[in-house]
Amino acid sequence: CALPIFTVWTNVFDRGRLVAGESALVHGGSSGIGTTAIQLAAARGARVFATAGSDDKCRACIELGAERAVNYRREDFAAAINDATSGRGVDLILDLVGADYFARNIASLAVNGRLVEIGFMGGQSSASIDLADLLRRRLTVTGSTLRARGVEEKGAIAAALRREVWPLLESGRVTPVIYRTFPLADAAAAHRLMESGAHVGKIVLATEPV
């Protein structure tokens, strides 16, 4: 379960530059990456908001440290963030949906806000932006993937994790969320559970007997 921690660190705190006292919106808050991002951001002193696809998943996000979780099936997250921040917006958004959320993400950013794209689960990878708005509010739109990075760069991320994140794991302030563990022989069942979207956190395949 180290991969979500690598992903969250490099995107939220390295590229996204989130610091204590700022605010963040985490899309897919009940996913493996989302549950990690909520916990790490809250533990490091940020105000955290999240989106999720059911009321139960929203409650799970709040239990992990989110101040407010928006059920995106029933509520517009941009309107909810505008209301929760008194119109200011958030300093950082971690997004794995992509183009479907792009316009509302931009609308939900504060002045000097940063949008970090890490996927396009919504199915579209292209979006347009009003450059005048980007300039006026001094926004940053960035994104990354770990796959293409070299060993040296990944090693630098690992060193930062040992220094900044491992103490939070050892103290229990941040805990990997494991929804269910399957033996490798039941990989098909694990995939069915994943496709159902019912889980919160990670689904684990174990090579040893469970």
Side-chain angles (χ1 to χ4, degrees):
C1 295
L3 183 57
I5 299 175
F6 271 73
T7 300
V8 169
W9 179 262
T10 191
N11 286 289
V12 174
F13 301 102
D14 186 4
R15 301 188 70 81
R17 309 185 308 279
L18 185 69
V19 297
E22 289 191 320
S23 55
L25 170 61
V26 177
H27 288 304
S30 63
S31 67
I33 288 174
T35 55
T36 302
I38 290 170
Q39 290 184 82
L40 276 178
R44 292 174 64 85
R47 185 184 184 195
V48 186
F49 304 96
T51 62
S54 72
D55 291 344
D56 285 343
K57 289 184 176 182
C58 285
R59 281 190 286 272
C61 291
I62 291 171
E63 290 173 0
L64 290 169
E67 175 182 322
R68 169 93 157 80
V70 181
N71 183 341
Y72 63 80
R73 299 184 190 279
R74 297 194 296 103
E75 190 175 1
D76 176 35
F77 73 80
I81 292 301
N82 182 70
D83 181 65
T85 62
S86 300
R88 177 186 180 277
V90 293
D91 299 293
L92 176 130
I93 298 175
L94 181 67
D95 179 54
L96 42 70
V97 176
D100 288 348
Y101 277 12
F102 191 78
R104 283 182 289 165
N105 280 336
I106 293 296
S108 300
L109 287 172
V111 172
N112 289 314
R114 291 87 67 192
L115 170 60
V116 184
E117 297 283 1
I118 60 171
F120 30 88
M121 292 181 65
Q124 297 184 45
S125 59
S126 298
S128 61
I129 187 171
D130 179 351
L131 292 177
D133 187 34
L134 186 82
L135 299 177
R136 184 172 54 252
R137 294 197 284 138
R138 304 185 296 279
L139 305 179
T140 298
V141 179
T142 185
S144 75
T145 178
L146 286 172
R147 290 185 181 90
R149 301 195 188 193
V151 173
E152 184 175 341
E153 190 173 0
K154 290 178 180 177
I157 297 171
L161 292 179
R162 282 193 296 269
R163 183 178 65 252
E164 303 289 347
V165 177
W166 259 231
L168 296 173
L169 293 168
E170 290 171 347
S171 69
R173 294 179 65 192
V174 174
T175 304
V177 178
I178 306 299
Y179 185 77
R180 188 172 171 188
T181 300
F182 289 84
L184 190 58
D186 290 342
H191 276 282
R192 285 194 296 271
L193 174 59
M194 182 173 64
E195 291 167 2
S196 77
H199 61 290
V200 173
K202 298 294 289 183
I203 298 168
V204 175
L205 285 176
T207 55
E208 299 295 329
V210 178

